[in-house]
Amino acid sequence: MALDSLLNSPRKLTRGLLDSHLVESLLTPNPVERYVGMIDPVWSRRDVRAKVVAVERQTPRSVTLTLEPNSNWNGFEPGQHVGVTVEIDGRLTTRFYSPAGAAAGKGLELTITRHPGGKVSEHLADIAAPGMVVGLSPAEGEFTLPSTRPDHLLLISGGSGITPVMSMLRTLCAEGHDRPVTFLHFARTPQDAIYARELQALGEAHANLNVVTVFTREGTKPQHLTRATLKSICPDYLAAETYVCGPNALVDAAEKLWKRDRNADRLHTEPFTLPEPTVVAADATGSVTFKRSGIAVENDGQSLLLQAEQGNLSPRHGCRMGICHTCVCRVESGTVRHVRTGEVKTLNNELVQICVNAPVGDIEIDL
Amino acid sequence: MPKTATKHTGAVADPEFQLTPEQLDLFGEELDALRERVLDDLGQRDSDYIHNILNAQRGFEVAGRGMLFLSFIPPAWIAGTISLSISKILDNMEIGHNVMHGQYDWTQDPRLDSTQFEWDTSSPSENWKDSHNYQHHTHTNIVGKDRDIGYGILRMSEEQPWHPYYLGNLLYATLLMTFFEYGVAMHDLEVERMVSGEISFADKRKEFDNIWTKVRRQAIKDYVLFPLLAGPMAPAVFAGNFTANIARNVWSFMIIFCGHFPEGVEEFTEEETENETRGQWYYRQILGSANLTGGKLFHIMSGNLSHQIEHHLFPDIPAHRYAEIAVEVREACARFGIPYNTGPLHKQFGSVVKKIARLSLP
């Protein structure tokens, strides 16, 4: 009986208590977390949060974090990514990273590569330390291995793109996968090769695994992804299920090659896009998508509020001059220009006052 | 536009202060520049500050309620009630009012999200934000548009025609002060317009339902659940919670009424505020507000509404910044010849009480 199971598990009982109507009424209007947070900042009723328990700096430009998520974490499929939220200069900022560990493993391993100008990557590379608490989103993404593991696998990565395919590789090894796997990694220099030692060890331990690392900035001729390279490393690469993750250039090259060989459905890619640079143009281009209302209009350069009203929506508003914050809405992605100050901001799931901000280029807003 | 104030209530030193449109534009630009400078500077310091206040509020609340459970030790009841009062005051003023103004939306922290925050008092956040952030702050001190002038039950301005009902002005004010959380909760119902027949109850059904839900939840929490949990200490917990709510009501009433009603604060007509420029808007906010002097702790406990002028100039800048901003604002006002109304609590509130008494008579 449900009560029995509750009583037999102190964890379930506590959970049940914290979720109960009684506790909610005692603490109203504040969420339970407000109080539990005094003892445990990682606990949450619904949100996924994690504590950093170990920090390793394998290479000069990267940092590897081991995270312990709270009980709301539902695991991940190898190759998927998670949103990591950290506080930088008072602001909560989210970026996506792919866990690098085996899917069934305990904890979560993230390797973040420092990108010049990358707010979150530089912040984490500089100050990440055990004890830090971060927000996580549930794992998402379709760049994953099928549950029936393919007979022939080719895993290609460049730079920080190694993380999802590393997760795939570690998962396969943990499962005792014994069919051929080729792991091709492009790194700038040997100092930048993340997981180099482990890859070498795995290659030696598993007869079915072929690990090749190519250094793109060594030697007189920079090496990139070409048909010749592929044929020399993995002669029957066209028969393999291929996963490619890395900078746009690598992904584009792969897509071109596979398309030429009419083999596109065996190729799976995940470009690691960097945060968009802020757009300077004040021209009205792009379209404004009102996600909740399911409509989109051509951006005419006016404030989001005016464009919404012209589209026959009636968003909440107040002073219409940027003071009262009644019109605050969430922009999922896009760039805005403040109509008075001209300040341009690129947004990622953030709140803005729609009466004093106009879209620059494409924008998606929760309205 | 208010080139000269319409109502001189005596304390303004020079009734002939006149600013030309050009001067007002310059003044507006200066304040705009100050605002942008501060907004650009917002960062870790501000996030740390508000989280410290949040932690303090939680601590006082848990300690307060905990000590009330131990009321069989009399000092525990006193300490518990004081602690709970402090927590309610912090939640209401430095946290609630400021967060709901959107002062911390830039952190993207869901705990500080003005669109979602709910405060520990009977007024529903949604109603409050509409009547306060939008109506009061946009139409500050415009008689006929700013319903904070009188809250619909008091006579706070000479422009409100006298009626024998107002003989009870001091009594109504005292009742409003004691049960301020309910007065604020009902503010959005616009009862005075229902009484005059302008609107019907049906028009306000949705607001009423919101209010009733919030009032019920708060009352059940403080007056039923916690007392019941305390077993034999129930009456003491009830009394402690009741007293803490009253303490918060009285304190917030005093601070809030000192914002726009001390001697010397100006009112405006709808005509003269039509088509206001930005400089004129800033000007009206200064003339229509008054500050309170005090130490750092006083400012925190007043939710920095002691800096009512700065708050009205920049309602969405984190309030703990107002003290620094005030130095520049005061200097700019001196330079432009704009009066700046400030004084200690007893003096400002004393003049408010005198005004309430005076306006109870024709």
Side-chain angles (χ1 to χ4, degrees):
Chain A
M1 192 227 118
L3 185 58
D4 264 355
S5 93
L6 265 184
L7 292 172
N8 283 336
S9 161
R11 172 171 239 169
K12 267 206 191 140
L13 185 62
T14 315
R15 187 90 204 196
L17 206 62
L18 290 170
D19 275 347
S20 70
H21 196 52
L22 172 65
V23 167
E24 193 183 332
S25 307
L26 281 171
L27 302 177
T28 187
N30 295 317
V32 172
E33 268 116 83
R34 175 101 157 235
Y35 302 94
V36 176
M38 292 169 95
I39 316 167
D40 181 6
V42 181
W43 188 89
S44 168
R45 259 176 108 173
R46 274 176 269 278
D47 296 341
V48 185
R49 294 193 199 147
K51 185 184 295 214
V52 174
V53 295
V55 174
E56 198 199 330
R57 288 178 167 82
Q58 283 184 44
T59 69
R61 287 194 315 128
S62 75
V63 62
T64 299
L65 308 176
T66 309
L67 303 174
E68 215 172 66
N70 65 13
S71 53
N72 296 323
W73 173 245
N74 278 327
F76 67 102
E77 292 297 317
Q80 286 192 306
H81 51 260
V82 294
V84 179
T85 306
V86 293
E87 187 185 36
I88 303 176
D89 197 25
R91 288 164 184 81
L92 288 187
T93 317
T94 305
R95 292 289 183 269
F96 290 90
Y97 298 103
S98 303
K106 252 189 72 159
L108 207 57
E109 182 179 305
L110 300 176
T111 295
I112 290 128
T113 304
R114 184 192 287 273
H115 288 289
K119 228 171 26 173
V120 174
S121 66
E122 296 213 321
H123 177 79
L124 286 174
D126 286 337
I127 67 115
M132 210 171 127
V133 176
V134 300
L136 289 180
S137 74
E140 57 185 54
E142 276 151 31
F143 184 73
T144 63
L145 291 173
S147 42
T148 316
R149 310 305 191 200
D151 281 330
H152 191 18
L153 271 169
L154 173 55
L155 306 175
I156 304 176
S157 56
S160 52
I162 195 176
T163 46
V165 290
M166 195 66 199
S167 168
M168 290 178 181
L169 181 61
R170 279 161 155 171
T171 306
L172 291 167
C173 291
E175 288 171 351
H177 186 79
D178 57 4
R179 275 151 292 158
V181 176
T182 308
F183 192 95
L184 169 59
H185 177 63
F186 290 88
R188 289 190 197 179
T189 67
Q191 290 72 40
D192 284 319
I194 311 166
Y195 298 120
R197 268 205 320 261
E198 182 177 340
L199 283 169
Q200 191 185 10
L202 283 173
E204 285 163 7
H206 297 265
N208 61 316
L209 174 59
N210 179 21
V211 176
V212 178
T213 308
V214 174
F215 299 114
T216 58
R217 291 200 188 170
E218 294 261 295
T220 48
K221 208 166 144 224
Q223 300 204 59
H224 295 292
L225 185 69
T226 62
R227 203 191 251 148
T229 318
L230 285 166
K231 279 212 123 70
S232 70
I233 294 167
C234 185
D236 56 347
Y237 73 89
L238 287 171
E241 210 64 33
T242 306
Y243 292 83
V244 180
C245 181
N248 287 341
L250 176 65
V251 171
D252 286 345
E255 282 177 347
K256 269 212 203 76
L257 282 172
W258 261 254
K259 195 160 155 209
R260 235 183 332 163
D261 292 326
R262 296 174 202 280
N263 213 15
D265 29 303
R266 282 233 163 91
L267 179 69
H268 313 271
T269 62
E270 177 142 293
F272 258 22
T273 46
L274 297 170
E276 278 148 48
T278 48
V279 177
V280 182
D283 294 331
T285 60
S287 62
V288 185
T289 307
F290 298 102
K291 293 287 280 278
R292 235 191 300 148
S293 313
I295 67 170
V297 300
E298 261 189 57
N299 178 18
D300 64 10
Q302 295 187 89
S303 72
L304 284 162
L305 175 61
L306 284 173
Q307 295 200 53
E309 289 176 335
Q310 275 159 19
N312 291 322
L313 299 177
S314 357
R316 278 200 329 204
H317 63 93
C319 66
R320 301 178 80 100
M321 56 196 242
I323 299 289
C324 74
H325 285 242
T326 303
C327 66
V328 166
C329 285
R330 190 168 295 278
V331 166
E332 296 189 11
S333 69
T335 303
V336 292
R337 187 190 79 252
H338 196 283
V339 301
R340 251 203 359 268
T341 67
E343 187 194 349
V344 172
K345 269 209 312 227
T346 300
L347 304 166
N348 188 342
N349 200 30
E350 288 164 59
L351 298 173
V352 284
Q353 297 164 274
I354 59 174
C355 68
V356 285
N357 280 288
V360 179
D362 290 329
I363 194 166
E364 289 188 343
I365 182 166
D366 181 24
L367 248 187
Chain B
M1 65 131 278
K3 265 168 89 147
T4 44
T6 55
K7 205 86 208 83
H8 298 296
T9 46
V12 173
D14 179 8
E16 286 309 311
F17 54 89
Q18 288 227 20
L19 289 180
T20 65
E22 293 76 32
Q23 281 179 302
L24 278 170
D25 279 344
L26 278 173
F27 186 62
E29 277 161 28
E30 242 188 79
L31 290 183
D32 274 345
L34 170 55
R35 178 191 155 90
E36 289 314 314
R37 218 185 328 125
V38 177
L39 285 178
D40 279 341
D41 191 50
L42 295 182
Q44 197 62 48
R45 158 158 97 106
D46 306 89
S47 168
D48 286 345
Y49 174 82
I50 191 66
H51 283 293
N52 285 339
I53 300 289
L54 278 166
N55 290 344
Q57 185 272 323
R58 276 190 312 202
F60 279 114
E61 184 179 354
V62 171
R65 296 204 188 271
M67 283 192 276
L68 283 173
F69 281 149
L70 302 170
S71 294
F72 51 87
I73 311 163
W77 187 89
I78 298 174
T81 303
I82 292 176
S83 190
L84 189 58
S85 306
I86 293 175
S87 108
K88 283 182 185 275
I89 288 170
L90 284 174
D91 175 272
N92 196 282
M93 305 187 83
E94 187 65 347
I95 299 170
H97 165 259
N98 291 330
V99 167
M100 286 193 289
H101 258 293
Q103 290 178 10
Y104 294 95
D105 281 352
W106 56 275
T107 65
Q108 309 299 335
D109 190 331
R111 297 169 291 185
L112 301 171
D113 182 345
S114 67
T115 65
Q116 294 182 36
F117 187 87
E118 193 66 52
W119 54 351
D120 175 25
T121 179
S122 293
S123 165
S125 296
E126 196 171 320
N127 292 2
W128 166 264
K129 281 182 294 188
D130 181 57
S131 60
H132 180 81
N133 293 359
Y134 166 41
Q135 293 183 37
H136 169 65
H137 269 271
T138 315
H139 308 303
T140 312
N141 274 26
I142 301 178
V143 183
K145 278 188 116 168
D146 184 357
R147 290 181 55 243
D148 275 22
I149 303 177
Y151 290 87
I153 59 174
L154 294 175
R155 186 170 181 239
M156 296 306 300
S157 157
E158 298 271 354
E159 304 305 313
Q160 287 173 273
W162 184 83
H163 184 280
Y165 160 84
Y166 290 118
L167 283 171
N169 226 17
L170 275 170
L171 172 65
Y172 311 142
T174 310
L175 285 172
L176 180 63
M177 176 174 77
T178 315
F179 301 107
F180 199 33
E181 83 174 292
Y182 299 115
V184 172
M186 295 194 348
H187 188 55
D188 219 38
L189 283 178
E190 302 189 83
V191 174
E192 77 278 9
R193 288 175 75 207
M194 280 190 217
V195 164
S196 73
E198 234 185 294
I199 57 174
S200 72
F201 182 76
D203 292 329
K204 289 286 180 174
R205 187 70 219 211
K206 188 165 148 264
E207 283 85 350
F208 178 79
D209 288 341
N210 279 350
I211 295 168
W212 177 235
T213 305
K214 187 85 193 280
V215 165
R216 207 181 57 219
R217 285 199 185 129
Q218 291 292 114
I220 289 176
K221 173 180 70 163
D222 277 338
Y223 303 132
V224 175
L225 288 179
F226 272 105
L228 279 180
L229 266 183
M233 294 290 107
V237 167
F238 183 100
N241 293 350
F242 183 81
T243 309
N245 280 323
I246 302 292
R248 179 253 279 117
N249 294 349
V250 171
W251 176 255
S252 54
F253 177 93
M254 284 173 59
I255 300 292
I256 285 165
F257 266 63
C258 284
H260 301 289
F261 300 125
E263 258 347 282
V265 171
E266 305 292 346
E267 288 151 11
F268 308 90
T269 65
E270 281 188 60
E271 298 80 54
E272 69 188 337
T273 55
E274 239 166 65
N275 299 320
E276 256 177 347
T277 64
R278 202 147 169 87
Q280 288 162 1
W281 186 86
Y282 279 132
Y283 185 61
R284 173 162 60 88
Q285 299 300 325
I286 297 175
L287 261 45
S289 310
N291 280 7
L292 294 165
T293 54
K296 194 140 173 250
L297 211 55
F298 174 73
H299 291 314
I300 294 177
M301 291 305 286
S302 74
N304 281 288
L305 286 178
S306 47
H307 296 109
Q308 191 74 221
I309 293 172
E310 286 71 30
H311 175 60
H312 264 264
L313 290 173
F314 312 113
D316 58 349
I317 287 184
H320 76 107
R321 293 264 188 161
Y322 292 152
E324 313 160 5
I325 293 176
V327 173
E328 294 192 50
V329 170
R330 231 180 147 159
E331 188 278 326
C333 286
R335 227 180 327 120
F336 280 83
I338 299 173
Y340 188 96
N341 189 330
T342 185
L345 178 61
H346 65 271
K347 190 157 156 279
Q348 300 285 62
F349 193 64
S351 80
V352 172
V353 173
K354 270 198 221 122
K355 180 184 265 188
I356 297 176
R358 196 181 68 237
L359 290 175
S360 66
L361 302 169

